Amino acid sequence: MTTATAADYSWIRSPSSLFKFAMEVGYTLTLVQGVSPEKLYALAGAEASGRCHGFDELVECHWELLDEFDHWPDAFLTGTLTLPSPAGTWTLALEFGGGLGTRDSFMEPLSYGTRAVSHSSNGGKPMDFFHWYENGLLRTTFEWPGDRTGTTPDDLNQRMREVGLNPSGDQNPDVDRKAAVLALTERLTGVRLTEELLRQAEYITAVVPEEQIKGSGSLVVLP
């Protein structure tokens, strides 16, 4: 579909990169084919409520929402936009501190009849994850490329090698693993993410509730 490699995403490590902020505070980025932002939000239990013009304004809206909570927030702001690719139209969802793309309860129905791919970081520690769903199934997921699970954990092995990841074990220290994951996402979606695209996009926003474990009265933030 594309020939993207980790080198194509070296911009995420620039000192002034907007993605540097996302990795520091924690983020989740999800791409799904042929699903509108409105349907995505409906599956997330939310409703589109506004627009943010550009990445910087999305960050400002994120902080404004957090300021509304006295303690641990029970919701987070998500921004979506629609993007074309050779494989068709995709919706991108981006949030800071939230985890839509890591929720099975969301990603399974989101990917029914289509494909959804997400990658994330919780910031700080960090823990970084990749998820590929197809037609309601989690096909491949990993934190470390050599330790994969899912219904078809080895189906991406060749593409992983091509972007610079080693599915067999030790990673090449000269390859930026996060940049390689973005390249792997492009290989699965055909969507090339650039700093300019993310910085200038108009995001449709919604406040998404944190996920709770059924039968529990306490809030549980899932990874």
Side-chain angles (χ1 to χ4, degrees):
M1 184 179 291
T2 77
T3 59
T5 67
D8 292 303
Y9 287 90
S10 60
W11 59 266
I12 68 172
R13 300 296 180 180
S14 166
S16 60
S17 168
L18 55 82
F19 212 80
K20 183 174 182 289
F21 166 82
M23 289 186 289
E24 287 176 349
V25 302
Y27 79 94
T28 302
L29 188 151
T30 304
L31 284 161
V32 59
Q33 185 177 20
V35 176
S36 68
E38 292 77 15
K39 182 176 180 181
L40 182 150
Y41 282 139
L43 290 170
E47 184 176 348
S49 56
R51 292 179 181 269
C52 289
H53 302 278
F55 186 90
D56 291 342
E57 187 170 323
L58 182 66
V59 171
E60 290 177 10
C61 293
H62 160 74
W63 291 129
E64 288 172 2
L65 177 64
L66 291 187
D67 286 342
E68 296 178 10
F69 297 97
D70 293 329
H71 302 291
W72 190 263
D74 60 11
F76 54 86
L77 186 77
T78 297
T80 59
L81 62 146
T82 302
L83 299 168
S85 89
T89 300
W90 294 74
T91 289
L92 178 150
L94 174 64
E95 64 260 0
F96 311 112
L100 269 183
T102 67
R103 297 180 183 177
D104 282 339
S105 61
F106 170 74
M107 292 293 282
E108 288 176 358
L110 181 71
S111 65
Y112 285 154
T114 189
R115 172 177 290 181
V117 183
S118 71
H119 50 84
S120 61
S121 174
N122 67 341
K125 296 179 181 178
M127 297 172 65
D128 299 277
F129 293 96
F130 170 88
H131 303 274
W132 164 40
Y133 285 80
E134 193 105 19
N135 198 27
L137 296 175
L138 178 55
R139 297 283 301 275
T140 304
T141 183
F142 60 84
E143 180 182 8
W144 300 100
D147 186 17
R148 300 172 307 285
T149 58
T151 59
T152 57
D154 297 329
D155 274 16
L156 298 182
N157 286 7
Q158 181 57 37
R159 281 185 250 198
M160 291 174 71
R161 294 186 186 95
E162 290 169 355
V163 301
L165 299 172
N166 180 11
S168 301
D170 293 341
Q171 301 302 299
N172 183 342
D174 295 328
V175 173
D176 184 325
R177 187 161 57 91
K178 177 61 72 175
V181 164
L182 268 71
L184 181 61
T185 301
E186 179 180 333
R187 294 233 179 183
L188 284 166
T189 64
V191 175
R192 169 65 61 93
L193 295 182
T194 66
E195 184 160 22
E196 181 179 17
L197 185 156
L198 294 175
R199 187 179 298 281
Q200 297 182 359
E202 181 176 66
Y203 296 88
I204 301 170
T205 60
V207 177
V208 177
E210 285 286 7
E211 192 170 33
Q212 293 186 350
I213 293 179
K214 292 181 180 179
S216 170
S218 60
L219 181 71
V220 179
V221 181
L222 300 179

